[in-house]
Amino acid sequence: MSNAEVAARVGVTPEWIERKTQIRTRRYAAASQAASDLAVKAAHRALLGAALDAGDLDYIIVSTSTGDAPSPPTANLVQDALGAGNAACFDLNVVCSGFVYGLALARSLLRLHPGRRALVVAADVYSRILDFTDRRTAVLFADGAGAAILGEVPAGYGVLDVDLRSRGDAHHLIGVPAGGSRLPASHATVAAGQHYFRMDGRGVSEFVLANVPAVIEAFVRRAGLDLDEIDHFIPHQGNGNLMTELVEASGLGKARTHRTIDRFANMGSASVAVTLDHAVHDLNDGDTVLLVGFGGGISVGSCLLRWADPWRLRRRDDAARSGAQDSIRGAWR
């Protein structure tokens, strides 16, 4: 969906959208698609990249605030579509911070059970809940999904640390007022447009710039690094102009900031996941990668990675499997 297509619906110009957001295009799901459909596509690609089968998964965590339905969990639909019958699965709703929160939760599960694997999928379909009379939000949001598989890596690599923050006192800045137990669906709530997504964009920007830089600095230093030692920065792709200000305010000017906002807009919890996927080819063995999500709640999630060359890991795993097969053949003889 180009800016011209969206601009015609909301009553602005394409130039206005790009100037305010740095967005040029975005993607909307087909009418027949829901969050689980996008999640399954992303999961298949992650499994292919990891050379794994769905049966190899032990956990499936789906981050979404726009699930297929209030019940059952979207994760169960993803599990069924993948044929991942061995995996425990559940949903996670932390809005735009969800992918980072999902990584943190997966890391905890894998530390309890070494050798297991977790699929973390972030999928959102915001086009279904946008009010196209509200230009402040309608031009920003879109649909997408991204996925990652977590497993064992060499010591010193992978997830080095995570930091999760919540500020419920700012919950009013982002939300969908109706459709839950406080305001169940009714003719009155639908007529009032209370099932649409609402956001105080200025309030969110002020909150992010006033709070997130300090969170980032404290987190990086707690991990024993200086801000100058961060090689790659992958923030939530909320608004291009806000990202530029956040990089400057956080002292991350020496890091390479990865952006997909111009092509895909704000995909909710999928933004960090999709941007990480697009950054993979620019990551080298040993690089430090900082992921930061922030969104409704309000919540902030940070994750620090030490990147491991996936081909080196693949060779290690292949060698381990080969050794195991030789041992089995030896025992059989």
Side-chain angles (χ1 to χ4, degrees), residues 8 10 12 46 62 76 98 104 137 145-146 154 181 192 235 242 244 259 286 288 310-311:
V10 302
V12 297
V62 174
N76 290 67
T137 56
S181 60
L242 175 58
T244 300
R259 297 169 177 261
T288 52
W311 296 110

Side-chain angles (χ1 to χ4, degrees), residues 2-312:
S2 67
N3 278 349
E5 293 172 281
V6 175
R9 298 184 67 176
V10 302
V12 297
T13 65
E15 294 75 21
W16 183 90
I17 296 176
E18 186 171 350
R19 176 167 53 86
K20 291 287 187 178
T21 67
Q22 297 184 21
I23 296 169
R24 296 190 179 94
T25 61
R26 77 281 291 141
R27 307 293 193 273
Y28 289 166
S32 61
Q33 291 179 313
S36 66
D37 298 301
L38 304 190
V40 169
K41 286 181 178 292
H44 274 305
R45 292 178 65 175
L47 286 165
L48 181 64
L52 295 173
D53 296 322
D56 296 323
L57 298 174
D58 299 288
Y59 306 102
I60 298 174
I61 301 171
V62 174
S63 166
T64 184
S65 55
T66 56
D68 288 32
S71 179
T74 299
N76 290 67
L77 305 179
V78 173
Q79 180 208 39
D80 183 45
L82 292 176
N86 297 325
C89 50
F90 54 90
D91 286 0
L92 178 69
N93 180 3
V94 203
V95 198
C96 299
S97 299
F99 180 68
V100 179
Y101 270 66
L103 295 179
L105 184 52
R107 175 184 183 243
S108 297
L109 289 169
L110 297 183
R111 292 181 77 176
L112 283 172
H113 303 286
R116 296 188 181 183
R117 298 184 180 95
L119 168 69
V120 180
V121 190
D124 271 311
V125 186
Y126 273 95
S127 64
R128 304 289 160 76
I129 57 172
L130 292 178
D131 179 359
F132 284 91
T133 68
D134 178 9
R135 66 180 187 179
R136 297 171 301 174
T137 56
V139 303
L140 280 170
F141 289 86
D143 308 336
I149 295 174
L150 279 72
E152 284 188 308
V153 294
Y157 285 88
V159 178
L160 301 181
D161 200 358
V162 293
D163 185 77
L164 308 178
R165 306 289 182 100
S166 300
R167 284 286 301 274
D169 57 317
H171 72 273
H172 59 282
L173 294 175
I174 302 173
V176 179
S181 60
R182 185 169 297 281
L183 287 176
S186 68
H187 290 294
T189 60
V190 173
Q194 291 179 296
H195 298 273
Y196 287 131
F197 178 85
R198 303 294 180 191
M199 181 176 72
D200 177 355
R202 182 180 295 275
V204 171
S205 294
E206 291 175 351
F207 178 92
V208 169
L209 294 175
N211 294 277
V212 175
V215 169
I216 290 174
E217 181 178 8
F219 172 57
V220 171
R221 296 199 185 285
R222 187 183 77 195
L225 297 175
D226 292 327
L227 293 170
D228 290 349
E229 294 179 272
I230 301 300
D231 297 308
H232 301 271
F233 181 41
I234 301 178
H236 169 54
Q237 309 286 300
N239 177 301
N241 295 330
L242 175 58
M243 289 168 57
T244 300
E245 293 183 69
L246 177 61
V247 169
E248 182 177 353
S250 302
L252 288 168
K254 290 189 176 181
R256 176 172 178 181
T257 299
H258 294 267
R259 297 169 177 261
T260 56
I261 182 81
D262 57 326
R263 290 160 283 170
F264 306 125
N266 182 342
M267 297 174 286
S269 66
S271 283
V272 171
V274 170
T275 306
L276 174 60
D277 182 63
H278 280 258
V280 162
H281 296 296
D282 296 319
L283 306 182
N284 297 310
D285 191 79
D287 281 355
T288 52
V289 185
L290 176 63
L291 313 178
V292 177
F294 44 85
I298 278 180
S299 60
V300 181
S302 306
C303 177
L304 185 62
L305 306 173
R306 176 80 66 184
W307 196 254
D309 176 10
W311 296 110
R312 181 167 64 84

Side-chain angles (χ1 to χ4, degrees), residues 117 313-331 333:
R117 298 184 180 95
L313 296 181
R314 184 77 54 80
R315 289 192 296 270
R316 183 202 64 173
D317 292 343
D318 288 345
R321 282 192 289 269
S322 176
Q325 291 168 359
D326 288 343
S327 297
I328 292 172
R329 284 195 293 267
R333 293 190 188 100

